[in-house]
Amino acid sequence: MKPQTQRLMSIDALRGFDMLFIMGFSGLVMSVCALFPEGTDCWLYTTMRHAEWNGFTHHDTIFPLFLFLAGMSFPFSYAKQVSTGTPRSRIYLKIFKRALTLVCLGIVYNGFFKFDFENLRICSVLGRIGLAWMFAALMYINFKTGTRALICAAILIGYWLLICFVPAPDVPGGDPLTMQGNLIGYVDRMITPGRLIYDGGRFDPEGLLSTLPAIVSAMLGVFTGEFVRIPEEKISGARKSAYMLGAAAVLLGLGLLWSIIFPINKMLWSSSFVLTVGAYCVAMFSIFYYVIDVRKKQRFALFFRVIGLNSITIYMAQRIFSFSSINKFFLGGLAGMMPEQWADVLLDTGYVAICWLFLYFLYKKQTFLKI
């Protein structure tokens, strides 16, 4: 009985579902909501935006779900490399190379080629993914499951104590759970070069210190990938899905309880945020896995996999190329003849369609950006 080493279709499909919102779908949902009487006040509209501070919306799940899936892919990738006889030293080199590449792409995304290094933001979404994934991958290779679980618990508890009880030294009397008084901003102000993007350049949501709990977000993915690789002869796919839903319920309960004393906060990447959004990640994967890989309902998955297989490509491409200009070239005239709210729906639909067709062209050409 060999553990599963083949890539799961559900991982790419869920990654595509996740990136769809970054690819303009959240804007489309907001435009559709604006057609109705409640408009911008309805729950669905507000959940397409980030929470201002404490609490979380659907938009706050996008980043941690991507990080979770990055971690989840590693046990499969590692097993494949081991099965082909790849030396341990080469595996380490690939891990470090991938992390460095993501950090560099994040800096490029932030405007490296403007050469305004004084105002260049060094922290980034891609950089956090690279660093958190790297440490999670190294932990997977070097420690057993139980040891990794203890390390993750120590990180979350230690981070909670550090953030809640050690305020920023340069903000006397400050509340450590505010944007102004937290230790994360202080660390970045002391050692991170370039520009921080919030509170007048004093805080960054992808700061160095808050990358620590993000490692646990990646490790939750690693644990899930490790579990799914258990041979079907030992645990069926349907039972795996049920167990994952149970684990999601436990994570949600723990996260909500912890939030009483350490609020759910994406910008701080609080320990309660890790557990609560981790519950969402595990539950969503459980559903996708059961439908796509267990029940083999795979026709609809192509739409999402086209995005998921080139997720970094579309993330960077939207920064480099003007898909909006292409969209307006084809649909701007028609949109101009429509009421403003309906024109927004048309243009937002067109934007998503153009991005997807771009990725579908790459998919048909079997062209994928692999890092």
Side-chain angles (χ1 to χ4, degrees):
M1 294 185 296
K2 292 183 178 180
Q4 182 171 346
T5 57
Q6 189 177 11
R7 188 185 188 98
L8 294 175
M9 191 178 292
S10 53
I11 294 179
D12 294 323
L14 182 54
R15 186 184 293 111
F17 171 82
D18 192 42
M19 286 300 299
L20 180 64
F21 291 90
I22 297 296
M23 207 175 76
F25 187 69
S26 59
L28 174 57
V29 171
M30 294 165 73
S31 295
V32 172
C33 288
L35 297 175
F36 295 90
E38 291 185 357
T40 58
D41 294 326
C42 75
W43 168 84
L44 188 57
Y45 185 98
T46 56
T47 202
M48 292 294 116
R49 291 181 169 178
H50 291 297
E52 289 188 9
W53 189 242
N54 290 335
F56 76 98
T57 67
H58 176 270
H59 218 57
D60 293 320
T61 68
I62 295 173
F63 185 4
L65 178 55
F66 193 95
L67 181 53
F68 171 88
L69 292 170
M72 203 185 155
S73 299
F74 186 71
F76 294 89
S77 170
Y78 181 70
K80 183 178 179 180
Q81 293 179 77
V82 170
S83 67
T84 57
T86 305
R88 179 71 69 92
S89 59
R90 188 175 177 185
I91 294 175
Y92 280 133
L93 182 61
K94 289 177 69 174
I95 290 172
F96 295 137
K97 180 181 177 182
R98 185 177 192 231
L100 180 61
T101 300
L102 286 168
V103 169
C104 291
L105 283 177
I107 295 173
V108 169
Y109 184 93
N110 288 342
F112 175 83
F113 289 107
K114 293 179 181 179
F115 300 116
D116 181 9
F117 300 125
E118 183 178 351
N119 295 302
L120 176 65
R121 182 187 177 214
I122 301 299
C123 304
S124 69
V125 168
L126 291 180
R128 169 160 293 182
I129 292 171
L131 292 174
W133 172 87
M134 178 188 73
F135 285 112
L138 293 174
M139 286 168 60
Y140 177 75
I141 293 174
N142 290 285
F143 299 107
K144 294 181 178 180
T145 305
T147 304
R148 282 184 269 123
L150 289 175
I151 293 173
C152 288
I155 289 173
L156 294 183
I157 294 171
Y159 185 72
W160 160 55
L161 295 173
L162 189 63
I163 298 304
C164 287
F165 299 103
V166 184
D170 61 346
V171 185
D175 184 343
L177 294 178
T178 63
M179 186 178 293
Q180 295 74 28
N182 70 81
L183 189 63
I184 298 165
Y186 173 76
V187 170
D188 285 325
R189 291 193 292 274
M190 294 298 101
I191 65 176
T192 303
R195 181 173 65 96
L196 308 179
I197 62 173
Y198 283 95
D199 193 29
R202 293 176 55 81
F203 177 80
D204 198 295
E206 278 76 58
L208 290 175
L209 187 57
S210 56
T211 298
L212 276 173
I215 297 170
V216 181
S217 295
M219 274 305 309
L220 289 176
V222 172
F223 287 132
T224 305
E226 190 176 17
F227 174 70
V228 173
R229 287 192 64 246
I230 295 174
E232 289 283 318
E233 294 87 349
K234 289 186 176 181
I235 307 178
S236 68
R239 287 178 61 195
K240 288 177 184 177
S241 297
Y243 289 153
M244 284 188 282
L245 286 177
V250 171
L251 287 172
L252 179 61
L254 291 173
L256 292 177
L257 282 174
W258 209 337
S259 70
I260 297 172
I261 55 175
F262 193 11
I264 297 169
N265 187 303
K266 177 183 177 292
M267 288 197 184
L268 296 176
W269 213 278
S270 63
S271 302
S272 57
F273 174 79
V274 171
L275 297 180
T276 307
V277 180
Y280 168 83
C281 297
V282 176
M284 286 296 293
F285 175 74
S286 173
I287 295 168
F288 270 67
Y289 173 71
Y290 180 73
V291 173
I292 296 173
D293 289 307
V294 177
R295 296 298 303 274
K296 304 297 182 184
K297 307 293 185 182
Q298 299 177 344
R299 289 186 179 181
F300 81 95
L302 176 64
F303 176 82
F304 296 120
R305 290 185 71 239
V306 164
I307 305 169
L309 288 167
N310 256 320
S311 52
I312 300 296
T313 301
I314 194 59
Y315 184 79
M316 294 297 298
Q318 288 182 101
R319 186 70 165 175
I320 298 170
F321 305 115
S322 180
F323 289 102
S324 294
S325 296
I326 300 171
N327 185 31
K328 289 178 181 178
F329 178 84
F330 288 104
L331 296 177
L334 181 58
M337 297 186 289
M338 302 170 68
E340 183 178 353
Q341 290 181 322
W342 282 101
D344 289 341
V345 173
L346 175 66
L347 290 173
D348 287 340
T349 302
Y351 184 88
V352 173
I354 287 170
C355 289
W356 189 87
L357 289 171
F358 166 70
L359 294 177
Y360 184 68
F361 172 78
L362 296 179
Y363 173 82
K364 294 296 287 185
K365 296 294 184 181
Q366 292 293 293
T367 302
F368 307 109
L369 176 61
K370 296 182 179 180
I371 298 175

